[in-house]
Amino acid sequence: INYFKCKQSTAVFHKKTEKIITEFGITAGMMATKIKFTGDQFYDRLINVNHKPSYTISGGLFAEFIFPRSQKKWSIYNELGYVSYKSNWKYGEITDPDYYTLYQCELKYSYIRLTNMLKFKYPVGNAYVFIKLGLSNGFVATEKNYQQKEVKFYSTPVITEGELLADRRVF
């Protein structure tokens, strides 16, 4: 184009550069999360419990960069979102009033999640099928990792409080 401007003539053909299409938006949804612990029977207060599902709302912001030369089928999708989980339960029962151990447990976590993916979109009729491949990283925003243990052995019950999980990397 600069050459033809210097020669004061016009180009016969000029292909315009297609720019990447950028889309921004908000995501929102509902999550159902259910945890299951496995491992040593020493942690029976975790393993032998049927944990109820946690229903929470999630949401965030996304930025998608669509490549026009691929008929808009390929894109890079990035999302910054918020997700959470909550579960509380009791474990143990009083079968003998002189000797028992009871646990009251609660796990509550919220995360800021960063997701980066390569996305492929294929049209099927009036809808699209999506295939996404990428990474997701979560950073703990708030945490409640609580356990109350009540033990009675032929005397007044002794109540101790502390962390339920010593190593949180199990999540």
Side-chain angles (χ1 to χ4, degrees), residues 55 66 144 163 165:
Y55 299 100
I66 303 166
K144 186 167 187 182
E163 290 185 333
L165 300 172

Side-chain angles (χ1 to χ4, degrees), residues 45-164:
R45 66 192 176 279
L46 298 173
I47 296 169
N48 296 326
V49 174
N50 183 16
H51 297 275
K52 295 178 184 174
S54 173
Y55 299 100
T56 58
I57 295 173
S58 65
L61 304 171
F62 77 86
E64 186 171 8
F65 304 98
I66 303 166
F67 303 118
R69 294 207 58 158
S70 65
Q71 298 175 335
K72 300 178 185 175
K73 290 181 181 178
W74 289 95
S75 64
I76 294 177
Y77 181 85
N78 301 293
E79 182 179 312
L80 181 64
Y82 172 84
V83 294
S84 63
Y85 171 82
K86 180 180 179 182
S87 181
N88 51 13
W89 67 94
K90 294 180 181 180
Y91 181 75
E93 58 184 69
I94 301 173
T95 55
D96 182 347
D98 292 325
Y99 176 73
Y100 61 85
T101 302
L102 298 174
Y103 292 95
Q104 184 173 337
C105 307
E106 182 175 5
L107 288 175
K108 183 178 180 182
Y109 286 88
S110 64
Y111 298 91
I112 302 297
R113 181 176 66 190
L114 178 62
T115 306
N116 308 101
M117 293 185 277
L118 181 63
K119 177 178 158 184
F120 177 74
K121 167 172 94 167
Y122 188 77
V124 177
N126 291 335
Y128 289 96
V129 174
F130 293 95
I131 298 173
K132 296 179 181 179
L133 177 67
L135 300 171
S136 180
N137 294 295
F139 305 97
V140 175
T142 62
E143 167 189 29
K144 186 167 187 182
N145 176 18
Y146 175 76
Q147 167 183 274
Q148 177 184 341
K149 181 179 179 181
E150 180 180 333
V151 178
K152 183 174 182 187
F153 188 71
Y154 296 106
S155 64
T156 306
V158 176
I159 297 174
T160 57
E161 295 180 337
E163 290 185 333
L164 174 63

Side-chain angles (χ1 to χ4, degrees), residues 7-19:
K7 291 288 189 179
Q8 297 176 349
S9 100
T10 57
V12 176
F13 174 76
H14 170 66
K15 181 176 180 184
K16 293 186 178 182
T17 305
E18 296 180 57
K19 295 185 179 182

